[in-house]
Amino acid sequence: MVATANLSRSDLDSSSGSDLSVSSRTSNRSLRVVEKERRRNEAGDPFLLALKYFSEVEAGTPRIGNDVLERNLVQVERVGLSRGLPPEAISVMLDYAMSLRGMICVRVLKFLIPATVVPQEAVVQAVAWLCVSKIAISTQVLFLRWLLTVFDMIDSKDNLRAIYGFIFHFVTEENLSPYICHLLYLLTRRESVRPFRVRKLLDLQTKMGRQPFLFHLLSLYKVFCPELVTLALPSQMRSGFKNHNSTWKAALSAVQKRNNGQVSSDISLTLGVKHKTNSRKRKYHHLEVPSLSSSVQRNSPSSSSRKVFPLEQLHTFPQLLDNLHCIELPSQMGSLLGSSLALCYLDYVQDDSAFLRLNFWLGHALHEEFLFCSGDRGSGSSSEALHLLNRLLSTQHFLQEGFSSTEGFLYKFLNVWDGSLLRPQILGLLSDIPVVPSSCINQLLFEPLVQLFFTSTLFFKCSVIDCLNNMLLKWLTWHSVYALEDGLDISLHSHTPMNMSLSGFMDSVVELVRFVGRLATVGLQLEGCHSLLLSFILDFYETVCDMFLKYGLPMVVMPPVGVFYPALFATDPVSVDRLGYIMYRYKKNLTSAKCQQKETKQVFHISRQTYREFNHYLSFMVSCLWNSKMFLPGMAIEVDQELLSLSKVAKPWTSFDLIHHPAFLGYALDFHHKCWPERKEIDLNSIKAGKQWDWYLEFLFSQGFQGLQQFVQSSITRRSVAGTNDQGQGDRQPTNS
């Protein structure tokens, strides 16, 4: 039985061994077939053969007159410019190019167009080649330009940051310094800032002068370590880093279009295609908000050593709360514009370096690709620009503040704007700009708008007035929220380096209000006191009249006569009613300011001239609407009696009271018909007799004219009930402030 068992086991062993050998032979045969097929494909693919050639080419191989090298170079160049090069090809060709000198190196760098991503190790190896003295400075500059162009396509940045000190060594090279500073700006983290690096940059500034690229790198250093950078940076700095992708722009754009967006790079934002070869102006294309992508790869050593939550996996608010302290900001800050959760995180952390990076991205997108583009834009470009500006608007409204790069873009764009291109978006962005100092607001904002306003359509005039009203509202809201608690320091609440005192803020507000007054006066004359334009103007002065009580700003600015009288004599009752409300609110604000000034003995910025203007407007309005004393001697508007007689208007001094005013004449006729339905002759003066006058006022106020009702109740008091004027109406006097 034992022998039988042994035989059975041996039979099993031999059977299983034979099965394994058969499967092994089958597997080996399959591998040989696959390998044979791969070799056949490689043998038939000229591109793979060319890559193999460059990976195996020996140093010292002659380049001039080498037909084999030229043939393989042409093959790789054709693929690079048409479809883009895969990561393996980028590694091979970049290493080959950096090992050369002369025109072939330049030629290779110009067709290194990535199809997907750029391997980090290839970039690190190429940076190591910079220390080889045989590479010409012009070639080093070209390589750095290429690196800055494809920076956001590099699969990881950890090893690049590890050689930060090696890269910083080249900052002293005069020709390389602008590009090195740009690269360092993109790689800098808090741990990268060291005292010796700050001293080196300050020494360079002493030697090279106030260079923008040095200022921008120092500003980032100051954000991370303000105690190390004691240099006072200018409040307004022009763009320190230029666009370096012009050499690869058209090819990158073509590759990305051909790949139908498969390239996961954010560089598509800054690319454009040059349609006309005879035009030197750049055109903007692909002004797209990048997709969210973490700057740290999931499989990288740094991501495994510390807990990092990829930003692209953030989908719900509970996820944001659970991972608030381990979220990694994306490599391309523009991608934050596409995610409300990412904006919540940005608003929570209040990281100045993040705002600096975001402003840098916006400055590049708006200045380099939008501001300097030509006028013959295609529909695709316009739609992309529209999408970008709409997304930027929604972001600023979400954060409740504008960006400094957007502000700088608008100041430049207003000088070349035709008033029609993307008008709602441009005016929307304009209304979000922070407070502008009064010393430069005229040059930056008012002069360009004046030229557009006076040469534009009625609709554009209304849009500009509405934009300036929204701007004033945001300025006043900012003041009412922050002024008392922080001493009016703009830098505490907006990411701009500008500080402003209360008096400086008030000067800017006064300049803005007076500017709108000038626009409104001339605009009403040009448009024949159009009711639509007058409506937007009254919207603005509804904001102005409540600056003291509603927003806590100790000042009052009256409307000019070019706005007050057209509103008072308007033919639509809504305008007169709104003017009554505005005068009512002016009276409340002035009265409160006078009482508060007496109680606290605090000096407000409300002059006696302001009180005189208000009392003058109030007296004239009461005399016109109530006492029927229009055009009489001693009034603000006097007309020669001979001219009045030529008009053949009976009792012209009553032409603008609450009964005969063109805005209320229809209501007076309706009331007359309801009171005396059997009368065939209309006598409007009978409304002023007895109780009919009070009934008429109640009827008028019941039509929705609440502003007029508030004005009458607060500004008119009956002087003598027993004595009546010639119309049977109780005489009343204005209650001045």
Side-chain angles (χ1 to χ4, degrees):
M1 294 177 63
V2 175
T4 304
N6 292 336
L7 286 174
S8 300
R9 189 179 296 110
S10 62
D11 291 340
L12 290 173
D13 293 340
S14 61
S15 174
S16 60
S18 62
D19 291 341
L20 288 174
S21 62
V22 171
S23 62
S24 177
R25 287 194 299 271
T26 304
S27 177
N28 291 336
R29 184 163 54 253
S30 300
L31 291 175
R32 287 195 299 271
V33 171
V34 172
E35 181 67 18
K36 187 176 181 179
E37 185 68 22
R38 187 185 64 82
R39 291 179 180 179
R40 186 186 304 112
N41 292 337
E42 289 183 356
D45 191 342
F47 174 67
L48 295 178
L49 292 175
L51 285 182
K52 183 178 180 181
Y53 170 81
F54 286 112
S55 63
E56 298 175 353
V57 65
E58 297 180 358
T61 302
R63 298 182 297 273
I64 301 177
N66 191 336
D67 296 337
V68 178
L69 185 147
E70 180 65 23
R71 182 173 62 253
N72 289 295
L73 196 62
V74 169
Q75 184 62 40
V76 179
E77 183 178 22
R78 184 183 299 113
V79 175
L81 296 178
S82 60
R83 303 195 307 267
L85 298 177
E88 299 80 6
I90 292 290
S91 299
V92 172
M93 298 308 300
L94 183 59
D95 186 66
Y96 174 74
M98 297 302 292
S99 64
L100 301 175
R101 74 174 90 182
M103 294 305 298
I104 292 186
C105 177
V106 174
R107 180 180 175 184
V108 173
L109 288 174
K110 287 185 177 180
F111 67 72
L112 282 184
I113 309 300
T116 53
V117 296
V118 176
Q120 177 183 212
E121 294 305 323
V123 176
V124 173
Q125 180 68 20
V127 171
W129 278 104
L130 292 179
C131 64
V132 180
S133 58
K134 70 176 184 179
I135 300 180
I137 292 295
S138 59
T139 305
Q140 296 181 36
V141 169
L142 184 65
F143 164 70
L144 291 174
R145 289 176 53 202
W146 175 84
L147 179 56
L148 292 170
T149 301
V150 301
F151 181 83
D152 293 298
M153 304 178 75
I154 301 175
D155 54 5
S156 180
K157 315 291 192 308
D158 302 327
N159 293 340
L160 272 176
R161 291 190 174 98
I163 60 171
Y164 187 94
F166 179 81
I167 298 174
F168 188 87
H169 170 75
F170 293 95
V171 78
T172 56
E173 295 288 341
E174 184 175 355
N175 295 323
L176 303 181
S177 186
Y179 310 98
I180 292 295
C181 287
H182 191 172
L183 182 59
L184 293 174
Y185 187 93
L186 299 175
L187 293 173
T188 297
R189 289 185 173 181
R190 188 177 301 276
E191 56 269 19
S192 306
V193 183
R194 294 289 183 267
F196 71 91
R197 290 172 182 159
V198 175
R199 289 195 298 268
K200 177 63 69 175
L201 292 177
L202 293 177
D203 291 341
L204 281 177
Q205 184 193 24
T206 304
K207 297 177 182 178
M208 303 174 64
R210 302 170 67 88
Q211 298 297 333
F213 51 86
L214 292 176
F215 269 119
H216 275 263
L217 186 56
L218 282 170
S219 66
L220 185 59
Y221 278 16
K222 189 170 185 177
V223 168
F224 286 125
C225 300
E227 70 280 1
L228 296 181
V229 184
T230 58
L231 178 68
L233 300 175
S235 59
Q236 298 291 336
M237 291 189 296
R238 63 184 179 91
S239 179
F241 305 123
K242 298 180 180 179
N243 180 16
H244 309 300
N245 63 4
S246 57
T247 305
W248 301 271
K249 177 183 291 187
L252 269 169
S253 177
V255 167
Q256 291 183 343
K257 284 185 177 180
R258 188 173 291 107
N259 292 340
N260 295 324
Q262 296 177 0
V263 180
S264 60
S265 161
D266 301 330
I267 200 65
S268 59
L269 169 74
T270 60
L271 303 181
V273 179
K274 192 172 182 180
H275 294 293
K276 293 184 179 181
T277 56
N278 58 354
S279 174
R280 294 186 178 181
K281 293 184 179 180
R282 287 170 287 187
K283 301 174 175 62
Y284 64 95
H285 287 270
H286 304 285
L287 287 169
E288 300 173 355
V289 176
S291 58
L292 278 174
S293 60
S294 178
S295 60
V296 177
Q297 299 298 310
R298 300 178 191 176
N299 300 325
S300 64
S302 63
S303 63
S304 59
S305 61
R306 58 188 177 93
K307 183 181 178 182
V308 174
F309 187 82
L311 201 57
E312 64 268 20
Q313 295 183 5
L314 188 64
H315 302 299
T316 63
F317 196 75
Q319 282 183 325
L320 174 63
L321 297 179
D322 294 338
N323 302 277
L324 201 56
H325 300 291
C326 56
I327 293 178
E328 182 75 18
L329 288 173
S331 58
Q332 186 73 311
M333 292 297 292
S335 59
L336 293 178
L337 302 182
S339 172
S340 59
L341 291 174
L343 291 175
C344 284
Y345 173 73
L346 181 66
D347 190 50
Y348 168 77
V349 297
Q350 288 293 313
D351 188 354
D352 287 340
S353 63
F355 279 95
L356 272 177
R357 292 174 58 195
L358 186 55
N359 271 302
F360 174 76
W361 182 88
L362 285 173
H364 174 75
L366 296 174
H367 286 78
E368 296 291 340
E369 297 298 336
F370 185 84
L371 182 62
F372 303 118
C373 59
S374 60
D376 51 341
R377 303 171 178 86
S379 59
S381 302
S382 299
S383 62
E384 291 171 0
L386 177 65
H387 176 72
L388 173 67
L389 295 184
N390 283 334
R391 185 62 61 85
L392 179 57
L393 267 174
S394 63
T395 300
Q396 293 189 163
H397 292 166
F398 181 86
L399 297 175
Q400 298 184 4
E401 64 177 319
F403 296 102
S404 58
S405 56
T406 307
E407 181 185 359
F409 157 74
L410 289 171
Y411 293 150
K412 297 178 183 178
F413 186 70
L414 285 178
N415 292 292
V416 297
W417 189 35
D418 59 359
S420 61
L421 176 67
L422 301 171
R423 178 174 56 231
Q425 289 72 30
I426 297 299
L427 292 179
L429 291 175
L430 191 64
S431 65
D432 286 338
I433 65 174
V435 184
V436 185
S438 58
S439 58
C440 57
I441 191 173
N442 184 66
Q443 178 184 0
L444 295 176
L445 189 61
F446 294 165
E447 291 181 359
L449 282 179
V450 164
Q451 300 178 15
L452 291 170
F453 187 87
F454 293 146
T455 59
S456 61
T457 62
L458 169 67
F459 182 75
F460 181 81
K461 291 183 175 68
C462 296
S463 300
V464 170
I465 298 296
D466 183 60
C467 166
L468 297 177
N469 183 30
N470 291 331
M471 182 189 299
L472 178 62
L473 275 171
K474 291 169 184 175
W475 289 8
L476 294 174
T477 302
W478 168 84
H479 167 78
S480 64
V481 172
Y482 297 123
L484 297 179
E485 62 179 76
D486 291 322
L488 214 64
D489 186 358
I490 292 179
S491 64
L492 295 176
H493 301 283
S494 64
H495 297 275
T496 60
M498 178 181 63
N499 298 325
M500 182 175 291
S501 62
L502 175 61
S503 60
F505 174 77
M506 295 177 64
D507 290 341
S508 298
V509 171
V510 169
E511 289 294 327
L512 177 60
V513 174
R514 289 177 177 173
F515 172 69
V516 175
R518 295 193 297 270
L519 289 184
T521 300
V522 181
L524 288 173
Q525 295 176 5
L526 293 175
E527 301 297 337
C529 296
H530 198 283
S531 58
L532 180 62
L533 178 59
L534 182 59
S535 175
F536 281 95
I537 294 172
L538 293 177
D539 282 339
F540 179 80
Y541 280 99
E542 282 184 3
T543 303
V544 174
C545 69
D546 254 340
M547 289 192 299
F548 177 71
L549 285 180
K550 192 173 182 180
Y551 300 101
L553 190 65
M555 62 180 299
V556 176
V557 182
M558 298 300 299
V561 294
V563 172
F564 175 80
Y565 289 113
L568 180 60
F569 299 143
T571 57
D572 62 292
V574 175
S575 298
V576 183
D577 176 70
R578 296 181 67 184
L579 179 63
Y581 172 78
I582 290 172
M583 293 299 294
Y584 162 73
R585 294 306 303 173
Y586 267 122
K587 180 179 177 62
K588 294 285 289 184
N589 279 258
L590 288 170
T591 304
S592 299
K594 182 181 291 186
C595 294
Q596 187 171 342
Q597 188 173 5
K598 290 180 180 179
E599 293 175 358
T600 61
K601 296 182 180 180
Q602 182 180 359
V603 179
F604 292 158
H605 294 250
I606 303 176
S607 63
R608 294 183 178 179
Q609 179 64 27
T610 301
Y611 285 100
R612 283 195 292 266
E613 289 180 7
F614 172 78
N615 290 331
H616 169 75
Y617 286 158
L618 180 63
S619 300
F620 183 82
M621 197 168 176
V622 171
S623 299
C624 175
L625 296 177
W626 192 271
N627 293 331
S628 303
K629 295 181 179 179
M630 187 68 181
F631 305 127
L632 295 180
M635 301 301 297
I637 299 180
E638 295 185 20
V639 180
D640 188 84
Q641 294 298 321
E642 295 181 359
L643 292 177
L644 289 176
S645 61
L646 292 176
S647 66
K648 298 181 180 180
V649 176
K651 298 181 179 180
W653 52 86
T654 65
S655 298
F656 289 93
D657 58 19
L658 287 176
I659 296 177
H660 298 89
H661 196 292
F664 302 107
L665 184 60
Y667 294 96
L669 292 173
D670 187 22
F671 178 80
H672 185 278
H673 177 71
K674 290 180 179 181
C675 287
W676 300 282
E678 299 178 354
R679 284 188 183 181
K680 295 182 179 180
E681 295 183 359
I682 298 177
D683 181 15
L684 295 180
N685 289 326
S686 60
I687 297 177
K688 297 182 178 181
K691 295 183 179 180
Q692 282 79 8
W693 175 251
D694 294 330
W695 294 347
Y696 174 68
L697 289 179
E698 293 179 3
F699 169 76
L700 202 60
F701 298 155
S702 67
Q703 304 303 310
F705 301 124
Q706 302 300 321
L708 191 63
Q709 180 181 9
Q710 291 172 327
F711 171 76
V712 170
Q713 292 176 350
S714 64
S715 301
I716 300 177
T717 57
R718 190 183 297 272
R719 184 179 63 181
S720 174
V721 179
T724 58
N725 54 22
D726 57 349
Q727 288 87 16
Q729 172 193 358
D731 193 20
R732 298 196 176 190
Q733 292 294 328
T735 56
N736 297 342
S737 294

